[in-house]
């Protein structure tokens, strides 16, 4: 499974904290092509952390909105990365 597809699955995960850590680890595999991509990744991670906070603080009331925002941020990462996984060769 590609990195971005795996992260998309993590957005729907019940354990938001674990999803954040796994998404962060997966995103570290990307080559940093531009400042725009770096900022898009940061924005995505911030939205994923916001999702975690909302779920912990307010239950599932705002969950759908937060997940939608995280998916939109991930779409921006996908566009800026060229739509494919540009992971470094290990």
């Amino acid at each position: 499974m590609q990195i971005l597809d795996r992260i998309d699955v993590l957005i729907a995960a019940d354990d938001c904290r674990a999803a954040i850590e796994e998404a962060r680890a997966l995103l570290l595999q990307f080559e940093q092509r531009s400042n725009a991509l770096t900022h898009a990744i940061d924005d995505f991670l911030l939205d994923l952390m916001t999702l975690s906070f909302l779920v912990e603080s307010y239950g599932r009331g705002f969950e759908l909105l937060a997940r939608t925002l995280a998916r939109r941020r991930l779409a921006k990462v996908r566009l800026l990365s060229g739509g494919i996984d540009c992971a470094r060769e290990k």
Side-chain angles (χ1 to χ4, degrees):
M1 182 180 286
Q2 292 186 338
I3 293 169
L4 295 172
D5 292 336
R6 175 67 186 132
I7 293 170
D8 191 31
V9 171
L10 289 174
I11 292 171
D14 287 333
D15 186 359
C16 294
R17 288 193 183 273
I20 292 167
E21 294 308 315
E22 189 171 347
R24 184 177 283 136
L26 289 168
L27 289 168
L28 285 174
Q29 297 179 37
F30 273 90
E31 295 175 357
Q32 297 304 315
R33 291 185 177 186
S34 67
N35 285 337
L37 178 57
T38 301
H39 290 299
I41 289 171
D42 290 343
D43 288 343
F44 167 74
L45 287 172
L46 182 60
D47 287 344
L48 205 55
M49 288 183 251
T50 301
L51 169 64
S52 175
F53 171 78
L54 287 173
V55 169
E56 287 177 13
S57 300
Y58 302 104
R60 303 288 177 175
F62 296 102
E63 179 183 9
L64 180 60
L65 294 172
R67 288 186 197 278
T68 300
L69 180 57
R71 282 197 175 89
R72 288 185 180 185
R73 297 284 192 182
L74 184 60
K76 184 176 180 181
V77 171
R78 190 180 304 269
L79 287 171
L80 291 170
S81 69
I84 58 171
D85 292 333
C86 307
R88 288 177 274 205
E89 295 293 323
K90 298 210 175 185

